[in-house]
Amino acid sequence: QSVLTQPPSVSGTPGQRVTISCSGSSSNIGGKTVNWYQQLPGTAPKLLIYNSNQRPSGVPDRFSGSKSGTSGSLAIRGLQSEDEADYYCAAWDDSLNGWVFGGGTKLTVL
Amino acid sequence: QVQLVQSGAEVKKPGAAVKVSCRASGYTFTGYYIHWLRQAPGQGLEWMGWINPNSGDTNYAQKSQGRVTMTRDTSITTAYMELNRLRSDDTAMYYCARASSVRGVISYWGQGTLVTVSS
């Protein structure tokens, strides 16, 4: 049981826009920022979004993040086949004094 | 460029211990924290704890406390994670990752080390 809640799966067709939600609480997302990671099959996670809405250099601007209250959201526009991966949200949790993650969302590009 | 290179896959029996290494390069080793995380097969990510390579200070997730020890050797810019009294549910890919601080963004990840616990 993950501390942050994500939908297990989402899907879309090439060119579409999809969003992935991440629900937390006041001890994590509510008082902190959200980070998002992309994990391609058989590889280590890669930082996609940090501080809720910032993109590291090299990440396409098709990826964007937002936060409202105790929830975060990742949006991917102009969906491409190479976006097919697992996506994880993460936030620092003051109560647990550690990093907590969502259970991951598998994105399928139809 | 920043690189974190981990040691190879391990197969251990229940009750044994495993020590995974993480060699850092491309940056000042003592200037960034190393976090350890793991991912059981087909499951999500679980944070295990951190070590400050400069001071050697550590903090472990409650679930890991009592069985995990994180250390470092600054002379060879390498961090270590040792897990004792292994159980079958410790079978997972173990990752080291770099962050600017305890609560800083975990940005760079090692390639992962698969630890299999089986009798």
Side-chain angles (χ1 to χ4, degrees), chain B residues 19 36 51 58 60 69-73 78-82:
Chain B
K19 190 170 186 176
W36 288 90
I51 181 168
T58 57
Y60 306 134
T69 304
M70 296 176 188
T71 57
R72 92 293 189 213
D73 184 336
T78 299
Y80 302 92
M81 186 284 299
E82 183 171 20

Side-chain angles (χ1 to χ4, degrees), chain A residues 37 39 44 88 92 94 99 101, chain B residues 37 39 95 102-104 106 110:
Chain A
Y37 297 90
Q39 187 174 35
Y88 293 91
W92 179 265
D94 281 333
W99 284 95
F101 288 81
Chain B
L37 307 97
Q39 186 173 32
Y95 294 102
V102 172
R103 303 181 187 192
I106 295 176

